[in-house]
Amino acid sequence: MLALVYFAWVRESIGRDEERIERPAPGATVADLIAELAGRGGGYAQALSDPTKLRAAIDQRFVSLDTVIGDAREVALFPPVTGG
Amino acid sequence: MKRIAIQPQDFDVAAELSALESLGGGGVASFTGVVRGEGGLIALELEHYPAMTQGQVDRIVDEAMARWPLLGVSVIHRFGRLEPGARIVFVGTASRHRAAALESCAFLIDWLKSHAPFWKKEHFEGGATSWVAARAEDEAKAQGWKG
């Protein structure tokens, strides 16, 4: 299983802050995962249909969307950060 | 000295500065971010990624300590609901050299803005809400410290 966590408007659109899914196929990237989740429609499509608005972290490290998920335990999807 | 705190509660700027001053370097620089109450804003809600935030801020502080000769760094970042006038973030640096203290303080706040996993939601009078959009200008400032 793979843990997914969502933040900010991604979390609000999807309507949950975390979930567990079957592991994606070997070689699947974060972008592949986003496309698959967007295909669920509804809030997922609303949050994830434009990947240019999204950023990601794998196991609590920022990664680009073309990063292979590999044996990661947690993938986080969120908008660009606005701290400080 | 390295102090990092990610917390909902307020902090005492004078106490933070005193701790940095007591390191004996002779130079202390700091930045305090405060919620602006413009445009009918009644509160900012700060969300973060608890499993990641401390480690990520720690990496940013280590980067500053590797680049400048610093005796101490303090970073405090609040989360939760903050009203206009409330402190959001504190960055303080201590060094024997004023340029190191000032430059590393600017670097830290620029990097926190674009490299720490926080998101701000604005709450306005009348109930409207809006997620703050990242500014290209902030990312450009952070990138400007590279190399």
Side-chain angles (χ1 to χ4, degrees):
Chain A
M1 300 292 281
L2 176 67
L4 302 180
V5 291
Y6 309 119
F7 294 96
W9 51 256
V10 174
R11 169 180 58 74
E12 288 184 343
S13 293
I14 289 173
R16 59 205 308 182
D17 55 10
E18 61 181 339
E19 63 183 307
R20 288 179 173 276
I21 62 166
E22 293 296 325
R23 296 204 70 85
T29 64
V30 175
D32 295 334
L33 171 67
I34 289 170
E36 187 187 316
L37 291 168
R40 292 180 178 181
Y44 286 93
Q46 193 188 328
L48 306 174
S49 57
D50 183 358
T52 64
K53 292 180 177 170
L54 299 172
R55 299 293 181 270
I58 288 182
D59 291 340
Q60 296 89 45
R61 294 276 194 146
F62 289 119
V63 295
S64 59
L65 300 189
D66 60 3
T67 305
V68 173
I69 295 167
D71 56 3
R73 287 193 291 191
E74 182 172 279
V75 175
L77 301 176
F78 43 78
V81 301
T82 55
Chain B
M1 179 196 117
K2 181 162 85 171
R3 161 162 159 71
I4 295 166
I6 312 300
Q7 62 187 42
Q9 68 269 30
D10 195 14
F11 45 87
D12 180 345
V13 172
E16 299 302 331
L17 290 172
S18 291
L20 290 162
E21 286 165 9
S22 70
L23 299 173
V28 171
S30 73
F31 175 87
T32 305
V34 177
V35 179
R36 273 191 299 261
E38 53 194 24
L41 183 97
I42 55 169
L44 264 190
E45 188 183 336
L46 275 100
E47 176 173 337
H48 76 124
Y49 183 176
M52 177 172 177
T53 313
Q54 184 88 25
Q56 181 66 17
V57 174
D58 195 61
R59 282 191 282 275
I60 295 170
V61 170
D62 283 348
E63 170 81 15
M65 295 185 99
R67 289 179 65 158
W68 287 276
L70 300 176
L71 294 170
V73 175
S74 293
V75 174
I76 306 172
H77 205 307
R78 294 177 70 189
F79 61 89
R81 186 183 172 93
L82 303 176
E83 294 177 357
R87 285 178 279 268
I88 306 172
V89 62
F90 173 86
V91 173
T93 56
S95 176
R96 297 183 196 286
H97 309 281
R98 67 176 182 279
L102 289 165
E103 286 170 15
S104 61
C105 185
F107 163 86
L108 282 161
I109 193 65
D110 284 350
W111 273 63
L112 284 171
K113 272 199 179 288
S114 55
H115 291 74
F118 286 90
W119 298 271
K120 291 191 185 107
K121 186 179 191 178
E122 297 171 317
H123 291 259
F124 296 98
E125 287 165 13
T129 62
S130 167
W131 286 97
V132 173
R135 300 191 311 164
E137 184 188 328
D138 287 336
E139 177 58 25
K141 274 189 189 153
Q143 293 302 322
W145 289 101
K146 285 202 170 154

